[in-house]
Each structure stands twice: as C-alpha cells, then as structure tokens.
Amino acid sequence: MEKFYVTTPIYYVNDRPHIGHAYTTVLADVLARFNRSLGKDTFFLTGTDEHGQKVQNAAEKHGIPPQQHCDETVLRFQELWQKLGITCDRFIRTTQEEHKRVVREVLQDLYDRGEIYKADYTGWYCVGDERFFTEKDLVDGKCPECGREVTAITESNYFFRMSKYQDWLIDHIKNNPEFILPSFRANETLGFLKKPLADLCISRPKSRLSWGIELPFDTDYVTYVWFDALLNYVSGVGYRTDDEKFKRWWPASCELIGKDILTTHTVYWPTMLKAMNLPLPKTIFAHGWWLTGNQKMSKSLGNVVNPMDMIERAGVDAFRYFLMAEMSLGNDANFTEETFISRYNSDLANDLGNLLSRVVKLTIRATGGTIPEISALNDDDKELNAAVDAAIAAMSSSLENYKLDQGIASVLNAVRAGNRYLEKCAPWTLAKNGETERLHTVLASAATALFKVAVLLAPVMPDKMSELIAALGGTGNVPGIAELATHSGICGWVMKDVPPLFPRIIEEKAETAPAPKTAKAEKKAKAAPAPQAGLPGIITIDDFKRTELRTAKVLKAEKVEGADKLLKLEIELGSELRQIVSGIAQWYTPEEMVGKMIIVVANLQKAKIRGVESNGMLLAAKVGDTLSLITPDKDMPSGILVG
Ligand code: MSP
C-alpha cells in the first residue's frame, strides 16, 4: 500500500498558539485526511519544541520551572488541536524521555565518527533567534533575521561538520526538484548555498543556557535546540526505538514548514540526515505567512489573530475551510474579519448551504424525502456530472501539486453548477407539470452531486460534511474519495430536513453599507404590494422628522487600516467638524471623496466601527454591484437641513 507520512514543525511552548500554528496543523490534517480518503497508509506527526532559550525565558517570566511551564503550555496546543479536529497519529514533545534518548544517541554516534568536534568560536549571537552569525551575516551590525542587537561571544563549543556536505546538498536540491517546494524556495536555499557553508554549532554551555538535552560526551553543555528539535521527525516514528515502525514511515512524504524556517529545514536537517546515513524527506514544503491587514502579525502590533475568536464566530469547519481556501499554498495571505465573513457567506452559506437546503426541501415536497431513481440523462445532467468529475480530478491533482486552494475552488465550481442546474431544470415547474420521471432525475442528480461534493470536502470540513451526508439520508459515515468510483449511489436514501448547515453571518457593517441582499429577498421586496398608511411599517411625517438629515462637505478622507471596505471621513456640517466611518471604499477612493457634498443622518447615536468613532451616517443607494452617493444636485452650503 502506498504510504504518506506528513509532519508539521513542532511549536515552541513559549506562548499560546496563534493562527500561524493553527494553519500548518490544519493543513497537515487536511493532507492526512485526504490521503487516508484516497486509501493511503498515513501517519501524521505534530508536537511541541520544549527546550532552548525561548522556553527558558518564558518559564523565568512566569517564575516557574521550565518543565512545569512546558507541561502547562502544551495543554493549550493540545486543547486547540482537539477543538480543531486534528487527527494526528502522534503528538511528540521534545522533553519526552524517548526523544531525549534518541538525541543523545545520535550525538554520541556523530561524535564517535568525527562528525562533531570541539572548537573555540567567536561569533555574534542573537538571543531572540538563538543563533550565531558571522560578521558578514550581520545587517547594519544587527541580527539578519530579526534586526535585533547581537552580542559578540567567544566560547568553546561543539560543531557539526555541516560544511563538508555543501556540494552534496546543492546536487541533491538540483537533482530532486520536488525536494524543496515551491520551487522558488529551492532557489532561495541554493542562493544561500552560494556562500561557503560554515559548520553548525550544536551546543550551548550550561553557564548560558541550562534548559536543554545534555551532551552525552560533555556534561557542561546542552544541545542546540534546533539540533534537538529537527530530530523529532525521526524519533517520532521509532528511529532507534522501533525499527519496524521507522522502516514503515521514514522518509517522510511531506514536511510542512513556514517560510521563516527554510534554512534550518533545507540546510541543517538534510545535512544532519546525510551524516546519520538516513534518506531525506521527499518534500519539504514551505508555506507563506498569514498577515493581518497586509501587515505581519506581531504581539507588539497587537494584531495577532486568535483562532478561538473565529471558531466561536463561525464554527471549526468554517475556520478550517477559510484557512485552506483562502491561502494559495506557498504565498502569503491576508486574514481580516471581512474576508473571512465574505468568503463564509458566499461559498458556504450561499452556494453550498443553499444547494443543500433547496435539494432537501424539493425532494421532501416531491417524494416525501426518498431520493428517487435517475432515468435517461440529458445534456444538463451530463454537464452537472462533468463539473463534479472535474472537481474529483482537480482535487487529486491539486493535492499532488500542493495547490489545495485550486482543488477547493473546483469543488465550489461544481456546487455553483448544481445551483445553476436547479435554476435551469426548474424542478418546481416539472412538479407542477406532472413530469415526474424528469423531476426525479433532476432531484437525484443534484443530490448525487452534493454527496460527491461532501466526500471531496470532508477532509477540510469533516463534521459539516458528515452532517450534510446525514441530511441526505446517509449514516453520516463519510466514504473515502477512493470509494466514490464503486459507491452504489444514494438513490433510496431518505432525506431529513435540517436547519441551515451554514447560517449566514450578519456582518457588523458601517452604517451606510446596505445590508447584503439575497436575490430572493430582492425579488420578495419587488413583489411586495405598495404600502398603505396605517399599516405596520408605515411612518408619519413626524416620525420622519425625527431623523435629522443635513448636507455635509467632505474635507478629508482616508482608508481605515485593516478594513478593506471602510473610509474615514472628516466632514463639515456648517460650523461643526465631525468624523464618520462609511463602508464605501469599494466604490469611492479617498481622493474622489474629498470636496464632495453629501447628505448625512446628523442625529444618529455615535458608534465605533472597527474601533474608529463614527458620528453620523452618509446616504447612498445600491443596486447590484453599483453604489451611488446621494448628493444635492445644486451648489449648497454644508449643514443645511434636508427634508
Ligand atoms: N520550534 C520551531 C520549529 C521547529 S521544527 C523542528 C518554531 N516554532 S514556532 O512556534 O515559532 O513556529 C512554528 C511555525 O509557525 C513556523 O512554521 C512558522 O512559520 C509558523 N508561523 C508563525 N507565524 C505565522 C504566521 N503568521 N502565518 C503562518 N505561519 C506562521 O519555529
């Protein structure tokens, strides 16, 4: 049986997990679930990196021993992974005895074979990154990685003869184009390898750092945290402890990393493996970073996204879906609440959720819920089936090419094809006309398409897709993609009417932004009879006068940071200056707004929109994708009452 072994970086237990950690782990989980679904023998390893300066510092800050700090912090990761439905086969902690023993044995073996030697060394040390740099590595005398101050340190240390593998590594990267992906990252490593490679300092004197694995051949030292951590990928699958297991899984099929830890994984790690006489992983895949408002997330900027907030808002599966669908693998992606909600509402609430509720309702109306038989197929049915087949093929190839977002996009295309199919075949008309055979074929074809879509998306949204299949009348046991070809089909299943799978999220919007209207709501509004005085919803002139509308002149306009749709306007109302926030950035640039005369609701209660104060609301009309400001059609001073 083909095997698939996937790993994530192991995370430092110095802080609580954030979206970056959640992303890599969900990605690994999705890859593992897909590969299981494709029938491959799969192992998924994740865990925590518990030694080194960062963890020691964090423990000191909390005034507790480092092991206690690790034991407490690790729970945050484990709880989040449980919440996120992470199906790892092993969660490794580098403070586990078994791992420590493997590290010591590897060190001793390399030392005995002359791969590790002792030497005096003077270098520039960055405490934050726990790394030594040479003079020429420094940028403006500061750490080339993080820009912080570095300190000159001379000490005796142990070194791994990494330099001797430089040519071999260059050849390996060149001869194995799938070793470092995306390929531009391979070029980055090859660029790094143009300079002579130094040997790697793999020890830290205990006088400077005590929280680490003691060197077996010199008890005055502990192991450099990266040398210890990288070995988790082999110790986690039985290296030197369980030969059979190790043989079964190593080399890894895919090691997922973030782009910031490329050098350690594509230079240190392969040379370590070479010295250990072990084969290299097939692929090391470096993904991009999640940014917020196009900025790097950092604690000091206070813009770190906490996965729990989004999970609470929309549920675990929607969060997993967003992470997978939004980031094109390898590149950076932007996380904002707006993009999250807008993707949720369009892909999940509108497209997928809608298709399910339409199919279920129509089928219950037509047959009482039993999925009927499919008879002769016409071109519309064939077109729908082709869209689903294309999604199945795209999903498999996107997995192989690490283009998951594209695979997901093709599944959503199939969902949209399903909605178009219903519009076109109009089962409600078929029912009215008594065209039962055709009606049955349409309903069963749409349900079958949904079923296959659920199988394809199950690795991304396991619980929701299981619910979807249960709504179609399945047991909730989601079959694997590999089983689709031979699946006996879903005709005869009895559907259940369920609440919406993905209830729409009502966005907290800038006051002016018109509430998003569904086509249905718009139709309903058009069809509504003309209002009559005295009926509910009708106001008197006095009611209207309670709203104070005034002309206002826009003096200044700028975008609201981190909110794509919002503009902050400084407006003049006669002698008064005010600030309002308005959701018009998609339609008007700040430059276009300056100088415009607008109409505002002047007596609206003040509000904070994305943390920015808004004192009033401007008037605009929107139809479809067009938004138009309401402006006086003659020259008017600002502050004039409108009514
Ligand atoms: N402990 C090391 C890894 C050792 S692996 C042998 C480490 N840990 S970490 O906790 O700092 O980071 C783990 C991963 O999170 C890295 O792959 C990093 O790229 C990723 N991310 C951290 N912030 C991120 C984003 N904002 N977006 C995406 N991933 C980011 O490094």
Side-chain angles (χ1 to χ4, degrees):
M1 194 197 266
E2 225 184 309
K3 67 124 199 179
F4 182 76
Y5 170 30
V6 62
T7 66
T8 73
I10 48 172
Y11 307 109
Y12 287 127
V13 283
N14 55 342
D15 207 348
R16 63 179 61 250
H18 61 63
I19 187 172
H21 306 123
Y23 174 69
T24 324
T25 315
V26 169
L27 176 60
D29 185 63
V30 169
L31 293 181
R33 285 178 188 259
F34 264 121
N35 280 282
R36 285 186 208 116
S37 174
L38 288 166
K40 291 193 201 166
D41 198 13
T42 300
F43 195 89
F44 166 16
L45 178 74
T46 189
T48 40
D49 188 353
E50 303 194 354
H51 292 123
Q53 195 82 52
K54 282 194 173 96
V55 177
Q56 180 170 302
N57 292 353
E60 272 165 15
K61 203 172 117 198
H62 291 100
I64 51 176
Q67 187 63 61
Q68 185 188 341
H69 169 80
C70 294
D71 293 345
E72 287 172 10
T73 314
V74 72
L75 298 177
R76 296 178 179 175
F77 286 86
Q78 291 172 331
E79 279 161 14
L80 182 63
W81 296 167
Q82 201 176 10
K83 183 112 197 166
L84 280 173
I86 301 302
T87 53
C88 57
D89 296 285
R90 168 141 192 223
F91 185 101
I92 189 168
R93 300 180 55 188
T94 53
T95 52
Q96 282 163 344
E97 208 39 60
E98 184 189 292
H99 170 79
K100 292 199 279 192
R101 206 175 71 225
V102 172
V103 174
R104 282 195 290 265
E105 282 183 22
V106 169
L107 285 166
Q108 187 67 55
D109 179 46
L110 294 181
Y111 184 69
D112 292 346
R113 292 195 284 113
E115 296 278 349
I116 288 175
Y117 64 95
K118 190 173 188 186
D120 272 346
Y121 174 80
T122 303
W124 295 96
Y125 186 71
C126 171
V127 179
D129 284 313
E130 298 174 50
R131 279 176 67 183
F132 273 104
F133 295 98
T134 61
E135 184 80 41
K136 65 179 182 335
D137 289 332
L138 303 183
V139 178
D140 298 331
K142 304 233 166 85
C143 171
E145 293 289 329
C146 67
R148 277 176 285 197
E149 295 293 336
V150 285
T151 336
I153 293 185
T154 301
E155 60 189 26
S156 272
N157 260 315
Y158 287 88
F159 291 84
F160 162 53
R161 294 189 193 279
M162 187 161 75
S163 60
K164 77 177 199 197
Y165 296 110
Q166 176 159 11
D167 292 340
W168 162 84
L169 179 58
I170 293 171
D171 284 348
H172 184 85
I173 296 172
K174 287 188 174 161
N175 294 335
N176 295 277
E178 80 287 10
F179 176 51
I180 305 175
L181 290 176
S183 55
F184 63 87
R185 297 283 176 214
N187 291 337
E188 216 174 295
T189 301
L190 286 171
F192 176 86
L193 288 169
K194 280 198 177 124
K195 283 193 282 183
L197 192 60
D199 287 343
L200 180 67
C201 177
I202 54 95
S203 62
R204 296 288 179 265
K206 276 189 186 165
S207 52
R208 184 148 63 79
L209 170 74
S210 58
W211 184 236
I213 301 173
E214 198 172 81
L215 293 187
F217 40 82
D218 192 336
T219 54
D220 287 340
Y221 292 85
V222 296
T223 312
Y224 171 43
V225 66
W226 272 100
F227 194 91
D228 155 6
L230 287 161
L231 286 169
N232 93 89
Y233 301 131
V234 289
S235 73
V237 284
Y239 181 55
R240 289 179 174 266
T241 51
D242 183 341
D243 288 347
E244 207 178 306
K245 185 171 179 186
F246 185 61
K247 249 216 257 100
R248 181 164 166 211
W249 298 114
W250 192 256
S253 319
C254 170
E255 300 208 330
L256 293 170
I257 58 166
K259 64 179 183 180
D260 54 316
I261 51 177
L262 187 71
T263 311
T264 46
H265 280 82
T266 61
V267 178
Y268 299 3
W269 182 221
T271 51
M272 282 166 66
L273 286 165
K274 178 70 181 161
M276 290 156 66
N277 295 316
L278 290 179
L280 304 197
K282 179 165 172 257
T283 295
I284 293 175
F285 189 99
H287 64 69
W289 275 57
W290 281 98
L291 311 172
T292 25
N294 285 318
Q295 270 185 323
K296 199 171 160 175
M297 285 183 204
S298 82
K299 265 200 269 179
S300 53
L301 290 172
N303 62 354
V304 178
V305 174
N306 178 355
M308 289 314 288
D309 296 344
M310 297 329 294
I311 294 174
E312 263 154 41
R313 189 91 197 257
V316 166
D317 279 2
F319 178 66
R320 290 173 58 111
Y321 177 81
F322 178 81
L323 292 182
M324 295 301 107
E326 186 73 13
M327 187 178 261
S328 134
L329 257 173
N331 300 325
D332 289 348
N334 200 14
F335 192 104
T336 63
E337 210 170 310
E338 280 101 330
T339 41
F340 179 83
I341 294 174
S342 124
R343 191 179 263 282
Y344 172 94
N345 279 343
S346 69
D347 289 7
L348 300 180
N350 277 3
D351 295 337
L352 182 54
N354 236 353
L355 181 60
L356 175 70
S357 62
R358 290 167 98 187
V359 169
V360 170
K361 288 199 167 69
L362 288 164
T363 309
I364 290 179
R365 207 179 301 154
T367 67
T370 306
I371 301 179
E373 291 297 323
I374 296 180
S375 315
L377 299 185
N378 72 12
D379 285 350
D380 293 332
D381 311 327
K382 284 181 196 155
E383 198 180 313
L384 174 64
N385 292 345
V388 175
D389 288 344
I392 298 175
M395 212 31 150
S396 308
S397 70
S398 79
L399 279 173
E400 256 156 51
N401 306 323
Y402 292 92
K403 302 238 183 278
L404 203 54
D405 59 312
Q406 292 179 12
I408 293 174
S410 73
V411 181
L412 258 288
N413 269 341
V415 170
R416 287 180 201 114
N419 277 316
R420 279 198 308 275
Y421 173 77
L422 287 186
E423 295 293 341
K424 192 158 178 215
C425 300
W428 41 91
T429 312
L430 297 172
K432 220 182 331 175
N433 297 345
E435 294 175 63
T436 313
E437 193 175 298
R438 181 69 200 136
L439 170 68
H440 285 181
T441 297
V442 169
L443 293 177
S445 299
T448 303
L450 253 178
F451 167 68
K452 291 183 179 170
V453 160
V455 170
L456 289 176
L457 290 181
V460 181
M461 297 187 285
D463 291 343
K464 288 286 174 186
M465 293 307 99
S466 166
E467 277 176 44
L468 194 160
I469 287 180
L472 292 176
T475 56
N477 259 345
V478 182
I481 299 172
E483 292 159 58
L484 271 183
T486 52
H487 195 272
S488 57
I490 60 171
C491 299
W493 284 12
V494 183
M495 292 189 186
K496 291 182 226 33
D497 201 3
V498 286
L501 206 54
F502 300 102
R504 217 184 147 74
I505 298 179
I506 309 295
E507 211 172 338
E508 252 179 63
K509 287 201 152 232
E511 268 76 347
T512 52
K517 273 190 182 160
T518 59
K520 209 170 155 192
E522 241 153 339
K523 228 175 174 174
K524 216 169 159 182
K526 276 189 205 142
Q532 288 167 31
L535 290 182
I538 300 303
I539 59 167
T540 64
I541 187 75
D542 288 327
D543 290 333
F544 172 68
K545 280 190 178 153
R546 291 177 56 215
T547 309
E548 188 188 315
L549 299 175
R550 287 188 186 274
T551 56
K553 187 169 179 189
V554 180
L555 302 180
K556 274 192 204 158
E558 61 182 77
K559 293 203 157 188
V560 173
E561 234 182 64
D564 296 341
K565 296 184 181 157
L566 301 181
L567 288 189
K568 184 169 86 181
L569 308 176
E570 194 181 299
I571 56 171
E572 173 203 78
L573 279 123
S575 58
E576 193 193 345
L577 289 186
R578 286 195 186 191
Q579 171 174 299
I580 63 170
V581 175
S582 177
I584 54 171
Q586 273 171 281
W587 294 277
Y588 293 91
T589 61
E591 293 70 27
E592 278 175 288
M593 286 305 295
V594 174
K596 270 204 194 310
M597 188 64 79
I598 54 175
I599 309 290
V600 297
V601 180
N603 61 340
L604 194 69
Q605 192 176 20
K606 281 187 195 170
K608 276 217 164 153
I609 300 171
R610 304 235 103 233
V612 185
E613 188 174 281
S614 183
N615 185 7
M617 148 184 153
L618 61 71
L619 297 190
K622 184 173 177 247
V623 60
D625 285 328
T626 311
L627 180 132
S628 171
L629 287 175
I630 309 298
T631 58
D633 76 348
K634 290 199 180 67
D635 238 350
M636 282 271 158
S638 71
I640 303 297
L641 203 59
V642 177

